[in-house]
């Protein structure tokens, strides 16, 4: 069932409404007449309701015109004076891919501010700049923005960790709502931009992302993943969602009925839902094998709730042809097309596209892009986003005392951008920011080895070009700067090579190797190499660009001379050149020389966003690169007063460094003002107040498989993790200290008195958690329910009000498939992090008691309490979830059941192969009540009803287990 426009339009009503409006409006006429200017049509009248304007325009469009609007690149319709429209301007932390624009901290950094008011300002600035580009209408323009990303950061190894906000749904919901309200302008009827939430749903692994299925049991689905997406939609701070590549419970999200049934149920406004790029094609046999051809796939997506197809780049023909085919064969009705098009048009109307002069925001021009106000805001955001992890009275430094400092490390004098960054209009590096703060140059070193690679067979060196454009790498007798390369270690054996001859990185350009890139970049990041040490001490130079991991890559991966002039190309391992690695200059020695004798050493280490995990590439580890860790140790040994700045996009396993160095500060890649923000923090002109939005684990061994989405059973995120983290969720230090009073119950929540007990002004993030002491179901150890960032002067006390309603204590009851607040005692915990609770109260709630399960009623198999050896799968291709056994002995637990008087028969809907379904009491090996014997069905979507006589009728309250043979799918069952 389609939702949104159906609330105001019955099928087939568009033409009637159009005629009526035409009679009322006088000059306005229906499509096909030529007696009036198209600008007099009712859809251009800003005084009419949005719904009426959409109805008018929809009625004027031909079927072919309507179909043309279903593709990402919507063409102009000249006869109605309608310009082209495009969905999908990237705006994750600034407008991306359109040119120079203000670059704010990465999304995980923005969330680390825990400051929704600031985030709304950032969103507003990004929305203004999108409007500024809109006036210029460059290639790639558009006011439908693909941001924010609200996928939960449940696993820090996710390659796109930088794009999300938090592992917590409440924090994610509040930050995404704030950013969205800034992007929209706060007036749902008059949109500054139309933000789209990415990526619906449970999209947290990049490996095989188009073919892996995320298992979401009902509690995880409702309490966790959906809970992150709902707030922005409910607040009208987003205008739709993008379906993700992955499957959920066996069904591709591109055809998930939740797009209509759930997402559109969160608002009364029309939503514009889009697919991810090329995702419709993934439905076909070559990838997901879900539909046989594009016509069937596109029809299923449209009926599920997709409105716009992002497919085949700028070419709409495959999509429009598929939709027309689906219409001609009865897979679609014109009303299905009308429904989707009306959603699209509603958003375009609200954007002011059809208003005089572009509507409320039509006068915003390019002058807002990288404006002084936005530069100031970028600096503020970068400052608030940083998190002080450790400080043994080392910080803040004293700029006025004339103390000397050296700034070293691979990120000391550079700023890296990520895949979704805009182009930096300028770059204040850490070194530059500190120099500006001190008003004098500072000693510096990148700490990277400079090497020469000499072919041991020929005695010739690998050389690069000295011009700005570089040149093809070749072997020659030149041993000067052209033969020297700075080696940067990014971990997992990956290095980049920067030519000393021109300062450019070496990369592959599909035909050879050239030193021509300012920094590693591109979809395949072709600047990646491995130096593979051999038993004889020589090295093979291996090309490790991302495309080498693709199934279609058939070229060799080693480098060696391929021509008479010594030009390097790709050769088989047996023909690879063997190189000696001559260290021309030791990076560690240079960094040590820079910091010796200085009052302070600042070492900046971290990640390269295109290499250390990004879209399509997860991380296998979270530690610092080995050479970076060695650099920190060498610097610290040379200068005990060492401050380490970790600049990356994810939690880091810092190992022994956490104990060894006196001060640690974490920042994400924070945009153009990174250096100024760091200088303000290091020298005390700003007091650190960022807080972690994820648990920092001590080791990868603390985590299950990245494909395990069941945070309850696998005990992950701060809500369920029972281990000792390196740094807990919500953690962050300050240059001052804060004292908490006891939480006091007030109408609508709690009040907590917070006092700045130190000698510096500072901001505290007051966090309110709850814990349900007793429950039928496993409950979180703690769960964030509210927070407030408050700035206090020394000695100042302020009462912070934190909202907490009884309904906020609800969890999903699988026995009745609804939300429930259980009667009982709840702990109310106020503190500075999930592990630093400063004060507490108890709350006694009169809710309800979950009754025992009544298995006499039809029970969905997915509503189990526990499981082993099973997967959640699609009951049918259209809707529903079933449970599949992956091996003999798989089981499902249904706790605390009370079948009622005298159940004598087990009845179930089963699909798949033949086998058995055993009904047992107490455990998977407990008392056997009966066994059903499915005959097997020809299709996993064809179900048979099986029965079994119960040898012993359950009495009282029992735990019932269903034990399944491998290959079975169980949809529903009952005991009668």
């Amino acid at each position: 069932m389609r939702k949104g426009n159906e609330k105001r339009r019955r099928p087939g009503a568009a033409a009637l409404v159009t005629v009526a409006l035409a009679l009322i409006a006088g000059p306005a006429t229906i499509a096909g007449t030529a007696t009036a200017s198209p600008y007099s049509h009712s859809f251009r009248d800003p005084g009419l309701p949005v719904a009426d304007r959409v109805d008018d325009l929809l009625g004027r469009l031909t079927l072919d015109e309507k179909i043309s609007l279903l593709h990402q690149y919507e063409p102009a319709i000249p006869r109605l004076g309608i310009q082209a429209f495009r969905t999908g301007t990237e705006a994750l932390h600034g407008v991306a891919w359109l040119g120079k624009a203000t670059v704010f901290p990465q999304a995980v950094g923005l969330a680390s501010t825990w400051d929704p008011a600031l985030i709304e300002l950032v969103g507003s600035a990004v929305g203004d700049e999108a409007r500024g580009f809109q006036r210029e209408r460059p290639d790639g323009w558009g006011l439908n923005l693909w941001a924010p990303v609200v996928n939960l950061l449940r696993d820090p190894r996710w390659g796109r960790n930088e794009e999300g906000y938090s592992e917590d749904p409440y924090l994610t919901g509040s930050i995404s709502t704030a950013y969205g309200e800034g992007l929209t302008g706060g007036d749902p009827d008059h949109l500054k931009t139309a933000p789209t939430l990415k990526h619906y749903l449970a999209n947290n692994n990049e490996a095989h992302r188009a073919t892996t299925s995320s298992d979401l049991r009902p509690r995880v689905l409702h309490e966790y993943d959906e809970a992150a997406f709902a707030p922005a939609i409910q607040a009208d701070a987003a205008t739709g969602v993008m379906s993700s590549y992955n499957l959920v419970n066996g069904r591709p999200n591109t055809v998930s009925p939740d797009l209509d049934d759930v997402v559109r149920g969160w608002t009364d406004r029309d939503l514009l839902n889009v697919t991810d790029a090329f995702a419709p094609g993934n439905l076909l046999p070559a990838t997901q094998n879900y539909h046989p051809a594009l016509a069937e796939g596109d029809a299923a997506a449209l009926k599920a709730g997709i409105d716009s197809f992002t497919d085949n780049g700028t070419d709409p023909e495959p999509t429009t042809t598929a939709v027309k085919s689906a219409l001609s064969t009865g897979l679609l009705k014109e009303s299905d097309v009308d429904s989707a098009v009306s959603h699209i048009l509603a958003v375009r109307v609200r954007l002011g596209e059809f208003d005089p002069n572009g509507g409320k925001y039509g006068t915003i021009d390019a002058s807002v892009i990288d404006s002084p106000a936005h530069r100031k805001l970028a600096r503020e955001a970068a400052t608030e986003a940083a998190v002080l992890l450790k400080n043994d009275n080392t910080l803040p430094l004293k700029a006025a005392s004339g103390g000397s400092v050296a700034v070293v490390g691979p990120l000391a004098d550079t700023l890296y951008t990520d895949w979704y960054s805009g182009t930096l209009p300028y770059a204040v590096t850490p070194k530059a920011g500190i120099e500006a703060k001190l008003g004098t140059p500072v000693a510096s070193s990148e700490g990277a080895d400079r090497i020469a690679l000499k072919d041991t067979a020929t005695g010739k060196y690998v050389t690069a070009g000295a011009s700005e454009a570089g040149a093809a790498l070749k072997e020659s007798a030149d041993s000067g700067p052209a033969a020297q390369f700075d080696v940067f270690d990014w971990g997992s054996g990956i290095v980049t090579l920067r030519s000393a001859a021109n300062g450019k990185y070496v990369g592959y350009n599909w035909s050879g190797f050239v030193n021509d890139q300012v920094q590693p970049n591109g979809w395949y990041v072709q600047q990646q190499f491995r130096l593979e040490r051999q038993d004889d001490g020589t090295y093979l130079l291996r090309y490790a660009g991302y495309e080498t991991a693709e199934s279609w890559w058939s070229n060799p991966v080693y480098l060696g001379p391929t021509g008479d002039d010594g030009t390097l190309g790709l050769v088989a391992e047996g023909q690879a050149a063997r190189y000696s690695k001559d260290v021309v200059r030791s990076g560690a020695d240079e960094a040590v020389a820079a910091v010796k004798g200085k009052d302070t050493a600042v070492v900046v280490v971290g990640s390269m966003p295109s290499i250390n995990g990004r879209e399509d590439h997860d991380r296998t580890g979270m530690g610092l690169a080995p050479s970076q860790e060695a650099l920190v140790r060498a610097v610290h040994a040379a200068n005990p007063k060492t401050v380490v700045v970790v600049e990356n996009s994810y939690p880091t396993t810092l190992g022994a460094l956490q104990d060894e160095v006196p001060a640690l500060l974490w920042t994400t890649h924070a945009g153009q003002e990174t250096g100024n923000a760091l200088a303000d923090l290091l020298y005390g002109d700003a007091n650190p107040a960022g807080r972690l939005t994820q648990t920092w684990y001590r080791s990868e061994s603390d985590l299950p498989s990245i494909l395990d989405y069941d945070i309850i059973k696998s005990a992950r995120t701060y809500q369920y993790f029972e281990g000792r983290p390196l740094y807990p969720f919500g953690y962050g230090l300050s240059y001052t200290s804060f004292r908490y009073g006891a939480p006091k119950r007030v109408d609508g929540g709690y009040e907590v008195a917070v006092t700045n007990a130190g000698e510096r002004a500072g901001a505290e993030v007051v966090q309110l958690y709850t814990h349900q002491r007793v429950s039928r179901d496993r409950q979180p150890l703690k769960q964030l329910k509210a927070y407030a960032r408050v700035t206090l002067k020394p000695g100042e006390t302020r009462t912070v009000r934190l909202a907490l309603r009884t309904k906020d204590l609800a969890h999903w009851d699988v026995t009745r498939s609804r939300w429930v607040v259980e009667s009982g005692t709840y702990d109310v915990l106020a503190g500075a992090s999930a592990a630093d609770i400063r004060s507490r109260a108890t709350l006694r709630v009169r809710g309800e008691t979950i009754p025992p399960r009544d298995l006499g009623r039809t029970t969905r198999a997915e509503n189990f309490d526990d499981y082993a050896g099973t997967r959640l799968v699609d009951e049918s291709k259209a809707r529903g979830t079933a449970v599949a056994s992956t091996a003999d002995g798989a089981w499902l637990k249904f706790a605390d059941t009370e079948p009622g008087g005298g159940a004598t028969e087990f009845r179930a809907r089963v699909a798949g192969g033949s086998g058995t379904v055993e009904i047992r009491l107490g455990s998977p090996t407990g008392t056997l009540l009966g066994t059903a014997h499915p005959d097997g069905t020809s299709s996993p979507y064809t179900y048979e009803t099986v029965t079994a006589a119960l040898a012993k009728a359950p009495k009282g309250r029992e735990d019932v287990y269903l034990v399944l043979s491998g290959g079975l799918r169980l949809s529903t069952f009952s005991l009668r």
Side-chain angles (χ1 to χ4, degrees):
M1 180 180 67
R2 301 285 283 183
K3 294 184 179 180
N5 62 303
E6 284 76 8
K7 298 173 182 177
R8 55 176 170 76
R9 182 187 299 114
R10 65 184 185 276
L16 295 176
V17 173
T18 299
V19 172
L21 288 173
L23 293 173
I24 295 170
T29 60
I30 61 172
T33 65
T35 60
S37 162
Y39 296 98
S40 64
H41 294 323
S42 297
F43 72 84
R44 295 193 176 277
D45 184 353
L48 291 175
V50 172
D52 292 349
R53 298 174 71 184
V54 170
D55 285 338
D56 176 67
L57 179 50
L58 186 67
R60 296 180 187 281
L61 299 174
T62 66
L63 178 58
D64 282 349
E65 288 169 341
K66 288 186 285 191
I67 293 171
S68 75
L69 300 181
L70 298 177
H71 190 262
Q72 177 187 18
Y73 288 84
E74 302 176 26
I77 303 176
R79 70 180 185 84
L80 294 174
I82 296 174
Q83 293 183 291
F85 184 85
R86 176 186 183 272
T87 63
T89 294
E90 301 291 354
L92 185 60
H93 53 109
V95 180
W97 304 358
L98 298 185
K100 292 181 178 179
T102 307
V103 178
F104 294 94
Q106 291 174 310
V108 69
L110 292 176
S112 298
T113 67
W114 292 61
D115 190 346
L118 174 68
I119 302 308
E120 184 173 349
L121 292 176
V122 171
S124 182
V126 175
D128 284 347
E129 296 200 7
R131 278 279 176 175
F133 280 109
Q134 157 78 4
R135 284 288 292 271
E136 305 300 320
R137 295 178 71 85
D139 290 341
W141 75 275
L143 292 176
N144 173 242
L145 306 187
W146 286 355
V149 170
V150 297
N151 296 110
L152 291 162
L153 305 183
R154 66 179 179 94
D155 194 310
R157 296 167 298 186
W158 184 36
R160 304 180 76 167
N161 197 86
E162 68 210 32
E163 297 182 35
Y165 291 134
S166 171
E167 68 183 33
D168 181 76
Y170 177 81
L171 180 59
T172 295
S174 67
I175 296 295
S176 59
T177 298
Y179 191 64
E181 286 178 341
L183 292 174
T184 64
D187 179 353
D189 288 323
H190 301 89
L191 299 170
K192 183 188 295 186
T193 65
T196 301
L197 304 182
K198 300 198 300 187
H199 309 82
Y200 192 87
L201 185 70
N203 175 206
N204 277 137
N205 61 278
E206 297 304 294
H208 308 293
R209 60 182 179 167
T211 55
T212 55
S213 180
S214 306
D215 283 18
L216 298 184
R217 59 196 286 192
R219 283 195 62 197
V220 176
L221 172 68
H222 296 296
E223 296 175 24
Y224 194 63
D225 286 275
E226 285 182 355
F229 279 83
I233 299 290
Q234 290 169 337
D236 293 324
T239 58
V241 301
M242 172 189 284
S243 60
S244 55
Y245 288 120
N246 60 294
L247 299 83
V248 165
N249 298 345
R251 181 179 297 105
N253 279 325
T254 306
V255 292
S256 171
D258 286 358
L259 295 167
D260 259 354
D261 298 347
V262 176
V263 177
R264 285 198 160 96
W266 292 331
T267 180
D268 288 334
R269 295 185 181 275
D270 285 282
L271 299 178
L272 166 52
N273 293 333
V274 306
T275 73
D276 209 336
F278 296 94
N282 289 341
L283 293 168
L284 306 186
T287 304
Q288 294 169 339
N289 195 25
Y290 212 70
H291 288 288
L294 199 59
E296 287 83 353
D298 283 4
L302 203 67
K303 293 171 79 170
I306 289 295
D307 305 305
S308 178
F309 292 87
T310 314
D311 206 9
N312 299 292
T314 60
D315 181 11
E317 193 275 334
T319 296
T320 57
T321 298
V323 172
K324 290 176 183 178
S325 174
L327 285 166
S328 68
T329 57
L331 293 171
L332 288 175
K333 299 178 181 178
E334 186 171 354
S335 60
D336 295 317
V337 174
D338 286 350
S339 184
V341 172
S342 69
H343 297 150
I344 296 167
L345 295 179
V347 170
R348 292 179 66 170
V349 166
R350 291 157 64 196
L351 283 167
E353 179 181 347
F354 309 126
D355 291 358
N357 301 314
K360 182 176 179 178
Y361 300 103
T363 59
I364 298 176
D365 60 25
S367 65
V368 301
I369 299 173
D370 187 38
S371 66
H374 291 179
R375 292 184 174 193
K376 180 180 178 182
L377 185 61
R379 182 169 181 167
E380 183 180 358
T383 303
E384 286 200 19
V387 181
L388 183 61
L389 300 175
K390 181 180 181 181
N391 186 24
D392 289 347
N393 298 315
T394 299
L395 296 174
L397 306 176
K398 296 178 174 58
S401 65
S404 58
V405 64
V407 185
V408 300
L411 283 80
D413 200 24
T414 190
L415 295 185
Y416 288 122
T417 55
D418 61 55
W419 178 249
Y420 287 105
S421 289
T423 302
L424 293 171
Y426 60 90
V428 183
T429 68
K431 173 178 177 288
I434 290 174
E435 286 180 334
K437 179 70 64 179
L438 300 178
T440 183
V442 300
S444 185
S445 167
E446 291 177 302
D449 287 346
R450 179 163 289 183
I451 67 169
L453 296 172
K454 183 169 68 174
D455 190 329
T456 57
T458 65
K460 293 183 178 181
Y461 290 88
V462 176
T463 59
S467 69
E468 184 74 9
L473 265 60
K474 61 176 59 179
E475 290 188 359
S476 74
D478 186 352
S479 61
Q484 297 174 10
F485 300 88
D486 297 323
V487 182
F488 294 88
D489 176 16
W490 301 112
S492 301
I494 297 295
V495 300
T496 53
L497 302 173
R498 188 182 64 195
S499 171
N502 68 351
K504 297 290 186 68
Y505 285 87
V506 175
Y508 184 60
N509 63 6
W510 300 106
S511 61
F513 295 91
V514 181
N515 58 315
D516 62 352
Q517 297 300 308
V518 173
Q519 68 172 248
N521 64 88
W523 180 255
Y524 290 111
V525 193
Q526 295 175 303
Q527 295 76 39
Q528 300 181 83
F529 297 89
R530 296 178 186 271
L531 283 166
E532 297 182 348
R533 194 177 191 277
Q534 306 301 296
D535 291 340
D536 62 0
T538 63
Y539 290 83
L540 301 185
L541 183 57
R542 181 188 182 108
Y543 172 56
Y546 280 151
E547 74 270 33
T548 61
E550 297 288 343
S551 59
W552 49 261
W553 178 267
S554 59
N555 295 334
V557 294
Y558 289 95
L559 274 66
T562 57
D564 294 337
D565 63 350
T567 298
L568 293 184
L570 292 170
V571 299
E573 184 175 0
Q575 285 74 52
R578 289 177 175 261
Y579 295 108
S580 64
K581 185 178 73 172
D582 302 334
V583 178
V584 178
R585 183 190 68 204
S586 165
D589 290 349
E590 185 183 68
V592 164
V595 305
K596 275 187 175 178
K598 300 297 190 294
D599 292 329
T600 307
V602 176
V603 56
V604 189
V605 293
S607 70
M608 200 287 135
S610 290
I611 293 174
N612 295 112
R614 50 152 281 188
E615 183 172 358
D616 207 34
H617 295 277
D618 293 318
R619 277 174 291 279
T620 56
M622 297 179 291
L624 289 176
S627 68
Q628 293 189 29
E629 189 169 342
L631 176 68
V632 172
R633 286 200 166 90
V635 169
H636 183 232
N639 189 324
K641 193 175 181 181
T642 292
V643 177
V644 177
V645 177
V646 179
E647 185 179 336
N648 63 16
S649 316
Y650 48 89
T652 307
T653 51
L654 294 172
L657 288 183
Q658 155 66 21
D659 299 320
E660 295 172 5
V661 299
L664 279 164
L665 182 73
W666 175 80
T667 178
T668 189
H669 296 280
Q672 62 208 50
E673 287 286 341
T674 298
N676 283 331
L678 288 175
D680 288 344
L681 291 162
L682 295 175
Y683 284 91
D685 291 328
N687 194 340
R691 301 292 185 263
L692 299 179
T693 67
Q694 292 176 267
T695 302
W696 281 41
Y697 298 96
R698 292 182 177 273
S699 168
E700 291 84 359
S701 64
D702 288 331
L703 295 166
S705 165
I706 196 172
L707 300 179
D708 185 343
Y709 279 74
D710 189 348
I711 66 164
I712 300 175
K713 190 175 179 69
S714 62
R716 69 197 314 168
T717 81
Y718 81 94
Q719 291 191 24
Y720 294 97
F721 181 61
E722 295 180 345
R724 187 168 65 95
L726 179 65
Y727 297 114
F729 174 81
Y731 174 86
L733 301 177
S734 171
Y735 295 152
T736 188
S737 60
F738 300 93
R739 186 171 62 249
Y740 283 60
K744 295 182 179 179
R745 181 74 168 156
V746 295
D747 186 34
Y750 281 84
E751 290 184 342
V752 179
V754 181
T755 302
N756 184 342
E759 298 179 353
R760 286 178 173 269
E764 173 71 325
V765 177
V766 183
Q767 301 161 43
L768 190 74
Y769 298 87
T770 62
H771 169 67
Q772 184 175 344
R773 292 185 184 178
V774 178
S775 173
R776 177 199 182 277
D777 302 308
R778 182 178 180 182
Q779 291 297 325
L781 302 171
K782 294 184 185 73
Q783 195 168 15
L784 183 70
K785 295 298 182 182
Y787 67 91
R789 182 180 172 118
V790 55
T791 300
L792 301 173
K793 298 175 183 177
E796 182 182 3
T797 297
R798 188 175 303 176
T799 298
V800 178
R801 191 180 183 97
L802 299 160
L804 181 66
R805 302 160 300 178
T806 300
K807 68 178 183 179
D808 297 331
L809 302 172
H811 75 277
W812 189 258
D813 174 17
V814 294
T815 72
R816 296 172 294 174
S817 295
R818 66 175 177 83
W819 292 99
V820 60
V821 176
E822 290 183 281
S823 296
T825 301
Y826 294 74
D827 295 312
V828 179
L829 313 166
S833 79
D836 185 8
I837 301 303
R838 305 289 182 85
S839 62
R840 62 183 64 220
T842 58
L843 175 64
R844 290 178 175 82
V845 173
R846 179 176 295 176
E848 58 182 303
T849 298
I850 299 175
R853 279 186 185 267
D854 180 5
L855 295 184
R857 298 183 301 176
T858 299
T859 298
R860 297 202 60 82
E862 66 182 302
N863 286 326
F864 50 74
D865 290 290
D866 199 3
Y867 62 97
T870 63
R871 294 295 307 269
L872 292 168
V873 294
D874 49 340
E875 183 177 9
S876 73
K877 289 191 175 183
R879 63 184 63 250
T881 297
V883 178
S885 57
T886 59
D888 289 344
W891 54 263
L892 300 174
K893 175 184 179 181
F894 298 87
D896 190 30
T897 70
E898 194 172 56
T904 60
E905 182 185 68
F906 169 79
R907 180 179 293 267
R909 290 182 70 242
V910 181
S914 60
T916 60
V917 181
E918 297 178 345
I919 306 94
R920 293 182 177 270
L921 292 181
S923 78
T925 59
T927 301
L928 179 64
L929 298 185
T931 303
H933 298 273
D935 294 327
T937 62
S938 59
S939 165
Y941 304 118
T942 300
Y943 288 84
E944 60 175 316
T945 298
V946 297
T947 61
L950 300 179
K952 174 185 176 183
K955 294 181 180 179
R957 297 165 75 154
E958 300 267 11
D959 292 343
V960 171
Y961 286 75
L962 302 183
V963 183
L964 311 174
S965 297
L968 292 180
R969 288 187 174 206
L970 176 63
S971 170
T972 62
F973 73 96
S974 63
L975 302 181
R976 296 180 181 177

